Amino acid sequence: MPVAALDIGGSSVKAGRIVAEAPDGQLHVTPLVHHAPADEIVTRLAAAIRLCGADASRVVVAVPDPFDHAAGVSLMTHKFARLYGQPIGPLLEAELGRPLDVRWCNDAAAAVTGEARVGAGREFTRVLGITIGTGLGAAFVVDGEPVPEAGGVVAGDLWRAVTHTGATADRAFAARTLLAAVAADPATGGSEFGRDLAGLLAPAVVATEAEVVVVGGGGAGSFAEFAGALQAGLAVPVRRASLGAWAPLIGAAHLSFPG
């Protein structure tokens, strides 16, 4: 059965129809304004679901934390604040006028799962993946399934780490930080970013016994700027994500509707 998979970002929602862990049709991008009224956000999300086909009653939405996935309730205050505390599934059903089976999952875990199963990490058993976007996301996947903790490391919490500059990893390794570093110093900005990122990831690679590091998210578009320095600081291969915007959609569909 088809799954309507959505990935909510700070400025858009990406949606696609997934069948058997593969895209079935085109990717749709619907603009979002994260500080818009709740009803406007719900209308945009419903429109994205509608683009995936009327027969796609199974819906999964990949969202950033904090979010109560079981209840379908956003706990974010830094964006989409107007949705705070509201069960979103019933609002989507009301907007579309039909019943839905709506499920929710973490966006980074979904993206890394997609890459681990059918993307850049598919040849490896133990995959540590990161997403460089509005902030830093991370997940650890073993045999195609996310593992919350391994070797004392909770990959999903790497964004909370504090760097040597005093900034959180979420801010230090965001796409905008990378672009600013390269713009300020085209010769060394990317390399410094890569070295600092390797410093964050190296202990996690050792502790989890990861076999590869996969880098995705919007920041992967500048992979060449920092890949050499990142690889030099890690003892395992570094791969750029290969599925693009489909990675979180494929991963989310598997996590919520396996088989």
Side-chain angles (χ1 to χ4, degrees):
M1 292 179 61
V3 175
L6 279 62
D7 176 32
I8 296 181
S11 61
S12 69
V13 54
K14 299 177 179 65
R17 181 183 172 98
I18 304 297
V19 175
E21 294 191 285
D24 182 33
Q26 68 184 86
L27 181 76
H28 305 281
V29 181
T30 302
L32 278 182
V33 178
H34 75 81
H35 53 77
D39 58 349
E40 179 180 327
I41 297 172
V42 170
T43 296
R44 295 295 181 95
L45 296 181
I49 295 172
R50 192 177 288 114
L51 290 170
C52 295
D55 61 331
S57 60
R58 301 193 300 173
V59 178
V60 60
V61 188
V63 291
D65 283 335
F67 198 96
D68 184 336
H69 301 131
V73 173
S74 175
L75 303 177
M76 290 181 278
T77 56
H78 62 300
K79 54 187 175 183
F80 304 111
R82 304 289 181 86
L83 288 175
Y84 181 87
Q86 297 189 56
I88 305 172
L91 299 177
L92 293 172
E93 288 185 316
E95 180 72 22
L96 289 169
R98 59 186 174 95
L100 301 171
D101 182 358
V102 185
R103 305 185 188 184
W104 308 82
C105 65
N106 175 262
D107 54 353
V112 178
T113 298
E115 290 291 343
R117 293 185 66 84
V118 297
R122 65 187 179 278
E123 298 176 3
F124 301 88
T125 298
R126 303 173 71 84
V127 179
L128 178 62
I130 62 170
T131 56
I132 300 174
T134 304
L136 178 75
F140 182 57
V141 176
V142 178
D143 290 324
E145 302 294 338
V147 176
E149 183 274 336
V153 172
V154 179
D157 284 346
L158 285 176
W159 67 274
R160 301 177 187 270
V162 177
T163 70
H164 64 88
T165 66
T168 63
D170 191 50
R171 180 182 296 274
F173 302 114
R176 63 182 178 275
T177 307
L178 169 61
L179 293 176
V182 173
D185 188 343
T188 65
S191 295
E192 291 177 4
F193 182 93
R195 283 194 296 270
D196 289 345
L197 183 56
L200 172 73
L201 297 179
V205 168
V206 173
T208 61
E209 299 181 350
E211 298 170 356
V212 65
V213 169
V214 175
V215 181
S222 299
F223 185 73
E225 300 287 349
F226 64 89
L230 177 59
Q231 180 64 84
L234 298 177
V236 298
V238 175
R239 299 284 186 267
R240 179 180 175 178
S242 63
L243 300 177
W246 284 103
L249 305 183
I250 292 171
H254 170 76
L255 291 176
S256 294
F257 300 100

